[in-house]
């Protein structure tokens, strides 16, 4: 986009945010009744629905993946045809979807206490309703909340955030316009309380000297996100507790 | 199709209940479950609607594009339907599992909307033979609680009501070609006339009687069902029999009459709701899934 600067001279981005500001985050647990756990998250204009089925007996066609000492994860990432600005029909099993599904599966294999559910299967399904950048991060956050809603044992919350580098300053939680520019894009998923990185992916070129700053910024972004997610979970728990005690 | 697993005694319970006009959730044979509808929730589509019918949940997004008119109808645009079953609804929809169900619903919708009286397709024409509006309607099934066809048709009508097509202006460009200019203001839209859009009503035969809006469990007990498209005036625009059982010709006429009556009532409530929502002030925030 000619003439559109990602970071203005006054330090504001295209949507008016400061470089270290997250987009408006709204989330809700327990959106569906039939899934074992479900959650919905809105990060700015990126809207993702997550549904969890499990732990349950393994499907017929996945019998070969059963492990005697832990559960196996099955993940599918789908994007609605109307999710992007240009309508695009994506068939199931296309490269990008498969790629995302594998990354998300890896992230949760490191977080869920799989040894507690031997010989079973946990399904994680993600549906992107509107894609406006940071799709992977929104998916991880939604799946994390959905797993909490399903009551599946995890080591910690998983919070994911994306970052980029513009004019020497790290900017976090990038939207679609910032993603499509030539800057490098770093996505990181962390366990906030344990301070561990469970997944990181860098696209594009970044100088080795600049990397620590960007990682710091993105970890701070994840921790800010954790505050919002934790608050949502506690509020949801209070609401559910009142229905049980006051019935 | 994601089917509920029912034992024999449960099936008999449902069948006997229906004989006495009393279903498991207390409804009569011709009552719909609680319907929640919200339009305009997706900001990057031209029109959208979200419906919750009992425990079935669907999301419809409408996007319009410029395309070339079909050779037999050079002055008209057309509607294109696409249905997707999200694995969120049931693990069996993973991969290509939901293809049969989505093809079914898609073909029903395409069939009823193909009628000339249903939608003014000439309003979608831009330049005869060269350009026209193609309306892509994408239905996303998020939760299966029975009666997806009816829910899809109600949501499609609501989404089309909400759709705004940009008001384009035509100017003469170079070499005799006409240039199409999009308006700068995103609010400068014209709405589609959905007054004649049909709604699909599924009548399922259980025992000797027929019911409307079957839940997952009731769908297991029914041997045959009739899906009909009904317009606001009670005219039928398409009928299709589904299921492995057989229907009596007399029961078919009975079911069609029932369907017309129910369809008319559904349209009245739906139109009223859409008018109220369109007139609601902009201060009221839309909640979507929150």
């Amino acid at each position: 986009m000619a003439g559109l600067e990602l970071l203005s001279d006054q330090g504001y981005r295209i949507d008016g945010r400061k470089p270290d500001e997250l987009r408006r985050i709204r989330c809700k647990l327990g959106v569906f009744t039939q899934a074992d756990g479900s959650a919905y998250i809105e990060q700015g204009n990126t809207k993702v629905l997550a549904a969890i089925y499990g732990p349950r007996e393994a499907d017929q066609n996945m019998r070969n993946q059963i492990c005697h000492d832990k559960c196996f994860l099955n993940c599918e990432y789908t994007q609605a045809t109307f999710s992007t600005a240009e309508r695009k029909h994506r068939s199931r099993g296309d490269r990008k979807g498969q790629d995302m599904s594998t990354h998300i599966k890896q992230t949760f294999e490191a977080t869920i206490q799989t040894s507690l559910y031997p010989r079973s299967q946990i399904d994680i399904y993600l549906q992107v309703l509107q894609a406006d950048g940071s799709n992977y991060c929104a998916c991880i956050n939604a799946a994390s909340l959905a797993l909490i809603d399903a009551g599946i044992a995890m080591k910690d919350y998983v919070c994911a955030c994306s970052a980029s580098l513009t004019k020497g300053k790290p900017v976090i939680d990038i939207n679609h316009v910032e993603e499509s520019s030539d800057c490098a894009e770093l996505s990181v998923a962390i366990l906030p309380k344990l301070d561990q990185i469970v997944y990181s992916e860098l696209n594009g070129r970044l100088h080795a000297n600049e990397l620590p700053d960007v990682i710091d910024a993105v970890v701070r972004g994840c921790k800010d996100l954790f505050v919002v997610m934790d608050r949502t979970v506690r509020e949801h728990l209070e609401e559910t507790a009142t229905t049980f005690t006051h019935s | 199709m994601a089917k509920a697993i029912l034992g024999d005694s449960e099936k008999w319970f449902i069948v006997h209940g229906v004989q006495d006009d009393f279903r498991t959730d207390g409804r009569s044979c011709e009552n719909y479950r609680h319907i929640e509808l919200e339009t305009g929730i997706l900001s990057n589509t031209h029109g959208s609607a979200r419906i919750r019918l009992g425990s079935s949940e669907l999301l419809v997004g409408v996007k319009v594009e410029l395309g070339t008119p079909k050779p037999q109808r050079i002055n008209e645009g057309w509607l294109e339907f696409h249905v997707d079953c999200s694995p969120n609804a049931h693990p069996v929809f993973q991969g290509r599992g939901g293809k049969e169900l989505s093809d079914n619903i898609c073909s029903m919708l395409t069939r009823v909307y193909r009628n000339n009286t249903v939608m003014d397709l000439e309003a979608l024409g831009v330049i005869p033979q060269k350009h026209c509006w193609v309306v892509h309607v994408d239905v996303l099934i998020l939760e299966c609680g029975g009666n997806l066809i009816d829910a899809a048709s109600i949501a499609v009508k609501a989404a089309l009501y909400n759709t705004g097509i940009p008001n384009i202006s035509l100017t003469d460009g170079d070499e005799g070609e006409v240039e199409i200019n999009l308006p700068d203001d995103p609010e400068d839209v014209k709405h589609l006339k959905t007054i004649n859009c049909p709604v699909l009503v599924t009548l399922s035969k259980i025992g000797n009687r027929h019911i409307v809006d079957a839940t997952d469990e009731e769908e297991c007990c029914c041997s045959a069902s009739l899906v009909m498209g009904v317009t606001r005036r009670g005219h039928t625009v398409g009928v299709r029999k589904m299921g492995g059982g057989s229907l009596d010709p007399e029961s078919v006429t009975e079911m069609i009459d029932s369907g017309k009556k129910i369809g008319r009532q559904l349209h009245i409530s739906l139109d009223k709701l859409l008018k109220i929502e369109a007139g609601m002030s902009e201060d009221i925030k839309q909640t979507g899934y929150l």
Side-chain angles (χ1 to χ4, degrees), chain A residues 26-28 31-35 40 42 45 47 49-51 53 56 59 62 74-76 78 80-87 89 91-92 123 125-127 129-130, chain B residues 41-45 52 55 57 59-61 63 65 82 84-91 93-96 136 138-140 142-145 216 285-287 289-290:
Chain A
R26 301 201 286 182
C27 33
K28 181 154 191 235
V31 179
F32 294 145
T33 47
Q34 294 187 342
Y40 170 73
E42 267 185 31
N45 278 333
K47 300 180 179 159
L49 270 171
Y53 286 88
R56 61 195 187 106
D59 263 341
M62 304 212 189
N74 174 32
C75 180
E76 180 151 328
T78 34
T81 30
F82 43 72
S83 59
T84 46
E86 283 234 358
R87 180 183 177 270
H89 173 53
S91 58
R92 295 286 170 75
D123 293 317
Y125 297 122
L126 293 148
Q127 179 76 44
L129 302 178
Q130 238 180 268
Chain B
I41 48 171
L42 296 170
S43 46
N44 65 344
T45 53
R52 192 170 185 88
S55 59
E57 176 120 20
L59 187 58
V60 176
K63 275 175 122 67
E65 270 178 7
H82 176 75
D84 190 19
C85 296
S86 169
N88 282 29
H90 200 279
F93 292 149
Q94 197 178 349
R96 304 184 76 78
H136 289 280
D138 297 308
V139 180
L140 181 63
L142 293 167
E143 235 192 312
C144 285
D216 248 348
K285 290 201 198 119
Q286 289 173 327
T287 46
Y289 289 99
L290 292 163

Side-chain angles (χ1 to χ4, degrees), chain B:
Chain B
M1 169 70 152
K3 277 208 179 292
I5 304 173
L6 285 184
D8 275 341
S9 25
E10 284 176 289
K11 287 192 187 162
W12 279 118
F13 184 74
I14 293 177
V15 171
H16 288 154
V18 167
Q19 312 283 45
D20 296 329
D21 198 19
F22 206 71
R23 291 152 80 172
T24 43
D25 49 7
R27 286 184 286 156
S28 82
C29 290
E30 302 194 340
N31 277 354
Y32 268 84
R33 285 169 287 179
H34 176 68
I35 303 181
E36 266 176 36
L37 191 63
E38 203 175 341
T39 59
I41 48 171
L42 296 170
S43 46
N44 65 344
T45 53
H46 293 104
S48 57
R50 174 200 148 236
I51 185 173
R52 192 170 185 88
L53 172 65
S55 59
S56 290
E57 176 120 20
L58 283 90
L59 187 58
V60 176
V62 178
K63 275 175 122 67
V64 299
E65 270 178 7
L66 281 172
T68 350
K70 297 196 170 133
Q72 307 101 328
R73 296 173 192 277
I74 53 174
N75 285 331
E76 299 174 353
W78 77 87
L79 278 89
E80 187 127 345
F81 289 91
H82 176 75
V83 177
D84 190 19
C85 296
S86 169
N88 282 29
H90 200 279
V92 84
F93 292 149
Q94 197 178 349
R96 304 184 76 78
K99 196 155 173 4
E100 201 188 308
L101 176 63
S102 49
D103 283 345
N104 242 353
I105 301 181
C106 191
S107 75
M108 262 322 298
L109 284 170
T110 321
R111 181 191 301 221
V112 283
Y113 274 88
R114 210 183 290 161
N115 205 306
N116 270 341
T117 54
V118 152
M119 185 125 239
D120 183 14
L121 295 176
E122 292 206 1
L124 296 175
V126 173
I127 303 174
Q129 267 182 343
K130 296 262 181 68
H131 297 286
C132 67
W133 285 115
V134 181
V135 180
H136 289 280
V137 182
D138 297 308
V139 180
L140 181 63
I141 299 178
L142 293 167
E143 235 192 312
C144 285
N147 205 18
L148 294 169
I149 299 180
D150 294 17
S153 68
I154 299 174
V156 163
K157 180 172 180 182
L160 287 172
Y161 183 87
N162 179 247
T163 305
I165 301 184
N167 265 331
I168 51 172
S169 51
L170 302 171
T171 51
D172 282 319
D174 322 309
E175 293 167 22
E177 290 273 317
V178 186
E179 268 185 25
I180 299 179
N181 299 322
L182 286 167
D184 286 326
D185 183 9
E187 305 284 310
D188 188 9
V189 290
K190 70 171 189 220
H191 287 276
L192 293 167
K193 278 225 284 259
T194 56
I195 198 100
N196 283 327
C197 281
V199 133
L200 293 167
V201 178
T202 308
L203 298 127
S204 318
K205 193 152 179 65
I206 293 187
N208 288 335
R209 300 192 63 158
H210 54 266
I211 55 168
V212 138
D213 191 18
T215 61
D216 248 348
E217 292 92 38
E218 287 166 345
E219 274 176 2
C220 284
C221 306
C222 96
S223 51
S225 57
L226 208 66
V227 180
M228 43 190 289
V230 185
T231 61
R232 200 176 56 107
R233 302 241 171 103
H235 296 155
T236 330
V237 284
V239 175
R240 180 168 165 204
K241 177 209 164 280
M242 301 192 19
S246 50
L247 289 173
D248 239 8
E250 285 150 10
S251 35
V252 169
T253 9
E254 232 181 78
M255 283 160 95
I256 292 186
D257 285 331
S258 224
K260 285 204 248 187
K261 186 178 76 182
I262 295 168
R264 257 200 300 256
Q265 283 170 357
L266 200 57
H267 273 288
I268 294 174
S269 325
L270 181 61
D271 287 339
K272 199 165 79 174
L273 185 67
L274 289 174
K275 279 219 178 72
I276 295 176
E277 205 194 1
M280 265 160 63
S281 100
E282 308 212 327
D283 290 344
I284 300 176
K285 290 201 198 119
Q286 289 173 327
T287 46
Y289 289 99
L290 292 163

Side-chain angles (χ1 to χ4, degrees), chain A residues 38-41 48-50 126 137-147 229:
Chain A
S38 56
Y40 170 73
I41 195 166
V48 178
L49 270 171
L126 293 148
C137 304
C139 286
I140 292 292
N141 297 330
S144 187
L145 289 172
L147 284 162
M229 283 165 68

Side-chain angles (χ1 to χ4, degrees), chain A residues 30-129:
Chain A
V31 179
F32 294 145
T33 47
Q34 294 187 342
D36 291 320
S38 56
Y40 170 73
I41 195 166
E42 267 185 31
Q43 271 184 239
N45 278 333
T46 301
K47 300 180 179 159
V48 178
L49 270 171
I52 308 286
Y53 286 88
R56 61 195 187 106
E57 198 185 329
D59 263 341
Q60 281 291 353
N61 45 353
M62 304 212 189
R63 283 279 151 92
N64 53 350
Q65 290 187 43
I66 300 182
C67 307
H68 67 277
D69 58 346
K70 57 185 177 128
C71 73
F72 74 89
L73 296 180
N74 174 32
C75 180
E76 180 151 328
Y77 164 90
T78 34
Q79 246 182 297
T81 30
F82 43 72
S83 59
T84 46
E86 283 234 358
R87 180 183 177 270
K88 187 169 173 213
H89 173 53
R90 291 167 186 81
S91 58
R92 295 286 170 75
D94 68 328
R95 267 311 260 306
K96 233 173 146 246
Q98 294 272 38
D99 217 25
M100 275 283 212
S101 309
T102 326
H103 295 324
I104 297 171
K105 184 175 141 153
Q106 280 172 2
T107 314
F108 283 104
E109 264 169 3
T111 326
I112 297 179
Q113 298 190 8
T114 48
S115 50
L116 290 178
Y117 309 104
R119 286 181 292 278
S120 24
Q121 170 184 353
I122 296 180
D123 293 317
I124 303 176
Y125 297 122
L126 293 148
Q127 179 76 44
V128 176
L129 302 178

